[in-house]
């Protein structure tokens, strides 16, 4: 079974631009969560999607948004990029609500650099 | 207040020896889960082990076991027979049920860097 895939793996953007990151969960998994990892703040939860609905949101500004498609693939978007948005963005997939399993499996991440 | 505390920024262990990585947590939710992940220098987070708050027995997965002490709110990871490939950052994480409203939200500790010496 293929694991979680994230594209692109590396990205360099300029301040003020916007970026879209993509995550394809493990086949059969319906829940996708996004995390931001930085040396200073560590791993922080961004948001979680299940059945195309945002179920939870972390403490991030509105510039960070996401969505989930009917095939469970998810995208996150960051608008008006700031230098502090430079981070490793990790996506995790799991079976989903009511499925009796809470194990989350992470993708390789997208490393975003904002210059 | 920190929900997940990993007090060991770095740990060293000799190959083939066992090592314990500490994790304490803080929650008032009676239903929660605890995870351990390994993050090598490549950046990918590798799921190691999971323990639910209502699980009666400590979780084990191969060389990994979770020493769950509910009253002390600790969930230490024990790696037996360390291998050179175990050198990585290890994260403890918690999922709080929040009355069934929080499924996929994990709170992570700051991590412990484990170095295995030959």
């Amino acid at each position: 079974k293929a694991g979680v895939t994230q594209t692109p793996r590396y990205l360099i953007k300029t301040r003020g631009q916007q970026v879209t990151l993509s995550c394809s969960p493990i086949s059969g998994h319906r829940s996708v969560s996004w995390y931001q990892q930085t040396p200073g703040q560590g791993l922080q939860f961004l948001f979680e999607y299940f059945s195309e609905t945002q179920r939870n949101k972390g403490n991030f500004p509105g510039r960070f948004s996401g969505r989930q498609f009917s095939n469970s693939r998810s995208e996150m978007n960051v608008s008006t990029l700031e230098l502090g948005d430079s981070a490793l963005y990790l996506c995790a997939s799991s079976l989903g609500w009511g499925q009796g399993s809470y194990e989350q499996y992470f993708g390789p991440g997208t490393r975003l650099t904002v210059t | 207040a920190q929900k997940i505390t990993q007090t060991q920024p770095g740990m060293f262990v000799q190959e083939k020896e066992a090592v314990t990585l500490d994790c304490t947590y803080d929650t008032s939710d009676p239903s929660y889960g605890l995870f351990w992940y390994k993050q090598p220098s490549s950046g990918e987070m590798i799921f190691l082990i999971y323990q639910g708050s209502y699980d009666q027995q400590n979780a084990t997965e191969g060389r990994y076991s979770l020493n769950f002490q509910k009253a002390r709110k600790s969930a230490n990871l024990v790696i037996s027979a360390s291998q050179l490939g175990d050198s990585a950052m290890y994260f403890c994480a918690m999922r709080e049920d929040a009355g069934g409203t929080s499924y996929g939200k994990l709170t992570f500790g700051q991590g412990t860097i484990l170095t295995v010496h030959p």
Side-chain angles (χ1 to χ4, degrees), chain A residues 9 31 33 35 37 41-43 45 48 55-56 88 90 94-97 101-108, chain B residues 31 35 37 39 41-47 50 61 91 95 97 100-110:
Chain A
R9 293 291 311 278
S31 175
S33 297
Y35 297 85
Q37 185 176 24
Q41 298 298 317
L43 278 148
F45 171 79
E48 176 205 358
R55 297 299 179 114
N56 277 295
L88 179 66
L90 292 159
S94 52
L95 283 172
W97 299 64
S101 170
Y102 301 102
E103 295 168 10
Q104 290 194 25
Y105 297 90
F106 283 78
Chain B
S31 178
F35 300 75
Y37 286 89
Q39 188 176 43
S41 55
S42 61
E44 184 167 358
M45 297 282 283
I46 301 168
F47 168 77
Y50 170 79
E61 291 284 350
F91 289 98
R95 180 198 66 82
D97 193 57
T101 64
S102 180
Y103 173 84
K105 176 182 176 181
L106 297 184
T107 302
F108 285 84
Q110 289 301 106

Side-chain angles (χ1 to χ4, degrees), chain B residues 19 21 27 33-34 42 44 50 52 75 77 80 92 101 108 114 117:
Chain B
V19 63
L21 305 184
T27 182
L34 297 154
S42 61
E44 184 167 358
Y50 170 79
L77 177 70
S80 62
C92 179
T101 64
F108 285 84
L114 176 65
H117 289 302

Side-chain angles (χ1 to χ4, degrees), chain A residues 9-27:
Chain A
R9 293 291 311 278
Y10 302 91
L11 206 49
I12 300 174
K13 289 286 188 178
T14 303
R15 235 178 340 176
Q17 288 185 315
Q18 76 163 11
V19 67
T20 298
L21 311 182
S22 180
C23 171
S24 292
I26 292 170
S27 177

Side-chain angles (χ1 to χ4, degrees), chain B:
Chain B
Q2 288 275 24
K3 289 208 168 192
I4 297 284
T5 303
Q6 294 181 253
T7 57
Q8 306 153 314
M11 286 284 285
F12 295 89
V13 66
Q14 208 70 28
E15 193 179 9
K16 298 179 186 175
E17 291 186 349
V19 63
T20 298
L21 305 184
D22 294 341
C23 173
T24 57
Y25 60 91
D26 183 26
T27 182
S28 56
D29 195 328
S31 178
Y32 55 90
L34 297 154
F35 300 75
W36 277 93
Y37 286 89
K38 171 185 178 182
Q39 188 176 43
S41 55
S42 61
E44 184 167 358
M45 297 282 283
I46 301 168
F47 168 77
L48 295 178
I49 199 165
Y50 170 79
Q51 178 89 40
S53 60
Y54 294 119
D55 293 342
Q56 295 297 312
Q57 293 189 331
N58 287 345
T60 60
E61 291 284 350
R63 294 186 299 111
Y64 305 105
S65 60
L66 200 152
N67 184 2
F68 181 45
Q69 298 188 45
K70 196 169 181 177
R72 298 178 63 179
K73 294 189 174 178
S74 76
N76 298 340
L77 177 70
V78 181
I79 306 174
S80 62
S82 297
Q83 302 171 356
L84 295 177
D86 292 336
S87 294
M89 176 77 92
Y90 288 79
F91 289 98
C92 179
M94 177 172 64
R95 180 198 66 82
E96 293 169 286
D97 193 57
T101 64
S102 180
Y103 173 84
K105 176 182 176 181
L106 297 184
T107 302
F108 285 84
Q110 289 301 106
T112 295
I113 300 175
L114 176 65
T115 304
V116 181
H117 289 302

